[in-house]
Every structure is written in C-alpha cells, then in structure tokens.
C-alpha cells in the first residue's frame, strides 16, 4: 500500500513550482545573463505546468493554510512588519500610524473571485501558479482598466500589477477556470480600517463600460466568507 504524500512534501512542491516560474518567465537574453541555458526555459515551463496540473484547489488551500475571505477568495496573511510608522509619521488617512508593510497569499477559483472592494494602501498583485485572472481597476477619475495577471508575457499578461491606493477593483479567473494562486503586498501595512467593500449598483452605474463584468463577477460568488473584511 502506497503512503500518502506528506503535507511538507506537498508544500515544497507548491513553492518549487513558484520558483521555477520565475526562471521560465525570463527572456532568452536575461536567461543568458543569469547563466541559465536557453534550452532550460522550455523544460522549466513544462515542469511548472506539470506541477500546476497535479495540484487541486483543495490541496493548495490545505498546504498553504488558506481560509475563505470576505474580499479575495481564499487568503493567508504571511507577513506584517514588526516595525511601524508612529502616529503623525504619515499623512491622512494613515496619520494614526501603520506597519511598514504587509503581505498575503490569495487564491481565486471560479466561484471565489476577488470581490469588489478597495484599500487605502498601494498594493502589488503577484502571479505565482495556475490560471490567469482578469483584473478590473476602477480609477477615481472615472476610467476603468482591464488587466490580465498571469504567466503569458508574450500575450501581454503581467506577473505583477500595481493597484494604486483607494482604487476599487475586482477580478475573476480566466483560462481553464481551475484556480489562480498569487500574492498581494501592501505599503504601508494594512489594518481593518483600510478596507472598504464597494456598492455594486453604485459602481456599475459610475463605470458603465464594465458594468456587465462587475455584475457577473458578483453573481459568481458561491463560497461563504467569514464575517468582517480583510485586504486583497
């Protein structure tokens, strides 16, 4: 009888795949500068794809200890700086002080999208593994922007995406519609008071070009999020 793989081995597989993605995403010129063979890049992509195909959303949630979240699918906070900026050291709305920075994992599935919300803080989305997400940014000047966060650099996708502070945003899974694993880093660090859930009808009216998308994403939610909002 075969032994079930340990949780430690499974977690290592997730993290190894994320590391390999960084190698696979290098252009040939950069790969050469990094003393990486051009022939290794397709192999790295193949290994990343194989690892991604071998993982289920449930397994990732277990391995990374992700929990249902009010705004961002499934989340685990991985870092809150022990250093902080004292009260008065930042302008409003951070005048009461904040940690220097914070970070979290988040996972999106077909029924657990990034729900419509904003945080006061600047944040950076990072792609790690799985399918891309379609991110909608609702800028304060009335513009809307659609960005694909994912691994296809030649196709115009981005492995990092800045979300300026106070920008309402929402996102959904695209591609094979299995799962997306990424991260958000924020500065200064987020506290609960920094998070605001968006009023769907009000924002759909203000941003008519993406109103149908905002409504469709909201309608796709199936998981039950815990009480209270968190960042993402």
């Amino acid at each position: 009888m075969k032994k079930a793989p340990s949780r430690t081995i499974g977690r290592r597989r997730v993290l190894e795949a994320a590391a390999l993605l960084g190698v696979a995403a290098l252009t040939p010129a950069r790969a050469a500068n990094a003393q990486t063979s051009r022939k290794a890049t397709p192999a790295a992509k193949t290994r990343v794809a194989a690892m991604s195909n071998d993982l289920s959303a449930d397994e990732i949630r277990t391995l990374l200890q992700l929990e249902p979240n009010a705004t961002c699918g499934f989340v685990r906070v991985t870092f809150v700086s022990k250093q902080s900026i004292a009260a008065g050291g930042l302008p409003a709305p951070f005048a009461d002080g904040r940690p220097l920075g914070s970070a979290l994992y988040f996972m999106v599935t077909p029924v657990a999208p990034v729900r419509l919300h904003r945080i006061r803080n600047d944040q950076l989305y990072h792609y790690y593994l799985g399918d891309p997400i379609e991110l909608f940014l609702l800028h304060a000047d009335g513009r809307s922007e659609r960005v694909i966060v994912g691994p296809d650099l030649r196709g115009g996708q981005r492995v990092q995406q800045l979300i300026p502070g106070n920008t309402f945003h929402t996102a959904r899974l695209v591609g094979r519609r299995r799962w997306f694993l990424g991260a958000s880093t924020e500065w200064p660090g987020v506290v609960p008071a920094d998070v605001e859930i968006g009023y769907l009808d009000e924002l759909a009216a203000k941003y008519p070009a993406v109103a149908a998308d905002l409504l469709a994403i909201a309608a796709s939610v199936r998981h039950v999020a815990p009480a209270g909002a968190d960042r993402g």
Side-chain angles (χ1 to χ4, degrees):
M1 180 174 179
K2 291 184 178 179
K3 280 188 174 182
S6 72
R7 181 176 296 186
T8 300
I9 293 171
R11 185 179 291 110
R12 187 182 301 127
R13 185 173 58 193
V14 174
L15 299 177
E16 182 185 2
L20 282 169
L21 178 67
V23 175
L26 291 173
T27 62
R30 287 183 176 236
N33 291 338
Q35 296 182 350
T36 301
S37 168
R38 294 187 183 188
K39 293 182 180 179
T41 300
K45 289 181 179 178
T46 301
R47 290 182 65 191
V48 168
M51 288 180 182
S52 296
N53 289 334
D54 190 41
L55 291 164
S56 69
D58 287 343
E59 186 177 10
I60 291 172
R61 288 199 296 270
T62 298
L63 293 170
L64 296 182
Q65 302 172 18
L66 308 181
E67 298 291 340
N69 182 263
T71 59
C72 289
F74 301 90
V75 162
R76 179 164 66 89
V77 175
T78 55
F79 171 75
V80 177
S81 177
K82 293 180 180 179
Q83 296 182 308
S84 60
I85 301 168
L90 290 169
F94 308 113
D96 54 345
R98 289 292 187 280
L100 287 179
S102 55
L104 56 80
Y105 286 126
F106 73 101
M107 185 175 71
V108 171
T109 72
V111 297
V114 175
R115 300 172 76 172
L116 188 59
H117 73 292
R118 67 179 174 183
I119 65 173
R120 295 168 173 171
N121 321 55
D122 289 339
Q123 65 183 137
L124 194 66
Y125 269 14
H126 308 257
Y127 170 84
Y128 285 161
L129 294 171
D131 295 325
I133 53 172
E134 184 179 30
L135 173 65
F136 293 89
L137 303 176
L138 310 182
H139 295 287
D141 61 4
R143 294 181 301 112
S144 60
E145 184 180 4
R146 174 184 172 274
V147 177
I148 302 296
V149 179
D152 184 4
L153 301 182
R154 289 193 180 97
Q157 296 178 9
R158 303 175 188 179
V159 293
Q160 290 185 350
Q161 175 61 41
L162 175 67
I163 304 176
N166 288 315
T167 302
F168 278 108
H169 57 284
T170 186
R172 62 186 169 193
L173 196 66
V174 294
R176 291 173 296 169
R177 301 184 61 78
R178 295 173 61 242
W179 49 265
F180 164 99
L181 177 65
S184 172
T185 52
E186 307 99 15
W187 60 97
V190 176
V191 301
D194 294 324
V195 183
E196 179 185 352
I197 303 297
Y199 289 100
L200 180 61
D201 292 341
E202 178 182 315
L203 290 168
K206 185 176 179 181
Y207 299 89
V210 293
D213 297 294
L214 303 184
L215 294 168
I217 293 171
S220 72
V221 177
R222 293 291 181 272
H223 79 283
V224 178
D230 205 336
R231 64 212 186 258

